[in-house]
Amino acid sequence: MHLNTDGQRVAQFDLLVTDRFLEADLSTYPKGLYIAVVHLMDGSTQSVKVIK
């Protein structure tokens, strides 16, 4: 899931268990700071800052 800095969801992707990498086309998004939130199968969550 990608959130903008206002906390609004701008995209969500479902990944397969075998996927190790996610490549997202952000060309249609305006420049700015985004947060990619990844929910893992063990219940944990990882957040990554994305600057465009």
Side-chain angles (χ1 to χ4, degrees), residues 18-46:
T18 57
D19 289 344
R20 295 189 64 203
F21 300 97
L22 170 65
E23 187 173 321
D25 179 8
L26 302 178
S27 64
T28 61
Y29 295 94
K31 290 182 180 180
L33 173 66
Y34 296 87
I35 307 297
V37 179
V38 181
H39 298 277
L40 302 173
M41 291 192 61
D42 67 1
S44 64
T45 301
Q46 298 258 339

